[in-house]
Amino acid sequence: MNRRSVISTGATLLVASMALTACGTRGGDDGGSGGGGDGDKKVVKIGVISPLSGDLSALGLGIQHSVELAAKQANESGDLGDWTIEVVPEDDEGKPEVGKNAASKLASDKDVIGVVGTLNSSVAGPVQPILDKAKITMVSPANTNPTLTRGAKPEEAPERTYASYFRVCTTDSIQGPFAARYLYEKAGIKELATVHDKKTYGQGLVDAFSKEYKKLGGKIVAAETINPDEDKFSAVVSSLKAKSPEAVYYGGEYPQAAPLSQQMKAGGLDVPLMGGDGIFSPEFIKLAGKGSAGDLATSVGAPTESLDAGKTFLEEYEAAGYSDPAEAYGAYAYDAGQALIEAMKVSLKDADTVEDARQATIDAMKDVSFDGVTGKVSFDEYGDNTTRVLTVYEVKGDEWADVNTEEFK
């Protein structure tokens, strides 16, 4: 989300339903440091910046644990020689200022070589310059706003702002048009309304969607906004209902999307609500209730359980015993961690200290290429993942079901 794709929620529910025992996250043999007690080992740290508390904590904790799993496996394999990885989670609460403070804290730690995060594009903005100044590599599993990699004019005059920033998910400039094409061409919806939460992710997603939808010949009969701090949307629902849209496209995240969907149906506007990867979570269905049947979401990548590597990831995540499910971005966080580890194999090989290896890690990231849990992982000249596969999901019963997966061209 910015965010944000994703493992299929069918798989997510499978993980979520299992009675897992609580697992520590900050050291020892718990999947965080994965063996940092060996005195012959030199410690290198990977930070995680994501919402570990608050409304979006389900997504943030899945990111944290997935990075811990990648670190644990790397430590067990010995691929980094005499270096052992410790994962350092920092809670950004989904708030830019809190994320900025988390970045400053990690940047002041001489043993931090990279950071996996953030979830929200609005949090990534203030985090980027802090980590870049410290030459700390940042890899996001979820940021989707195009400006983070391609500058203020991503389409007209793309320019990379921070050489230290990468992401394994695709962007809103692809996800928005992908959703527009599905609704117009496959679902046959020719008139709809848009709503966004005024945040970087939500507004950017709606802008990209609207441009493509109108280009295809679709008509946007209403364009509304909501306050992301509220959950009562009767005035917006009334305004939308008066325009009789065939669907509502929402830019934002599930804590607001779910009550909006619920209140739409209760208010007599019984049409599908569609959103991006920000609403693709079991939490959306739980909060929206039975009326969410037929609602839609896009997410980057193919369903995780449809890939052999994805199945293995889910099995290994379960076996690790984390108390929280991998959720929507777990697979992407795992691949983000793996991308960092691949670069560290090069940068740490002859380094005496982590600080000595920071710039070398940034440089090595440019050549990272591997078959990840979410598909092929490699980066273009802007730091974006070269993979452009996306999936449309629909709420059927009490889970998300994938209905269309294809490569965006």
Side-chain angles (χ1 to χ4, degrees), residues 56-273:
L56 297 172
S57 61
L59 299 176
L61 290 166
I63 289 172
Q64 174 189 333
H65 297 321
S66 297
V67 176
E68 289 171 342
L69 178 60
K72 179 177 183 291
Q73 292 174 344
N75 288 337
E76 291 172 348
S77 72
D79 285 347
L80 294 180
D82 58 355
W83 292 92
T84 188
I85 304 170
E86 179 180 330
V87 176
V88 185
E90 293 292 340
D91 184 8
D92 65 22
E93 302 176 18
K95 301 174 182 177
E97 192 62 31
V98 181
K100 182 178 178 180
N101 293 336
S104 296
K105 181 177 179 181
L106 290 172
S108 67
D109 188 334
K110 63 181 178 59
D111 292 329
V112 173
I113 199 166
V115 168
V116 174
T118 58
L119 173 69
N120 304 86
S121 293
S122 57
V123 179
V127 166
Q128 282 180 309
I130 295 171
L131 297 182
D132 186 73
K133 184 177 181 180
K135 297 183 180 179
I136 293 174
T137 304
M138 178 178 177
V139 192
S140 175
N143 297 159
T144 54
N145 190 279
T147 63
L148 295 172
T149 47
R150 298 167 66 94
K153 297 181 179 180
E155 300 301 326
E156 303 89 342
E159 181 180 5
R160 190 168 188 182
T161 307
Y162 299 105
S164 60
Y165 178 84
F166 302 81
R167 56 179 152 200
V168 295
C169 58
T170 194
T171 69
D172 295 334
S173 62
I174 297 172
Q175 186 175 195
F178 180 75
R181 292 181 189 181
Y182 178 82
L183 286 180
Y184 188 84
E185 297 173 348
K186 291 184 168 62
I189 291 174
K190 309 303 182 184
E191 296 187 359
L192 54 71
T194 65
V195 181
H196 69 74
D197 62 1
K198 307 177 189 177
K199 293 163 67 175
T200 302
Y201 165 67
Q203 184 171 352
L205 190 59
V206 165
D207 287 348
F209 170 89
S210 299
K211 182 178 179 180
E212 181 72 11
Y213 189 73
K214 288 186 284 188
K215 178 181 175 182
L216 293 169
K219 181 179 180 181
I220 297 177
V221 298
E224 299 283 348
T225 62
I226 62 168
N227 187 332
D229 298 323
E230 298 179 356
D231 59 6
K232 301 291 188 295
F233 308 121
S234 57
V236 170
V237 170
S238 295
S239 178
L240 294 174
K241 184 180 178 183
K243 299 299 178 69
S244 302
E246 298 172 55
V248 173
Y249 186 77
Y250 177 74
E253 297 147 337
Y254 66 79
Q256 292 74 42
L260 176 60
S261 174
Q262 187 179 59
Q263 291 165 43
M264 281 169 46
K265 277 72 169 184
L269 183 58
D270 193 11
V271 299
L273 179 143

Side-chain angles (χ1 to χ4, degrees), residues 268-289:
L269 183 58
D270 193 11
V271 299
L273 179 143
M274 185 179 199
D277 52 334
I279 79 167
F280 181 56
S281 168
E283 294 298 311
F284 172 84
I285 301 172
K286 184 188 302 183
L287 294 170

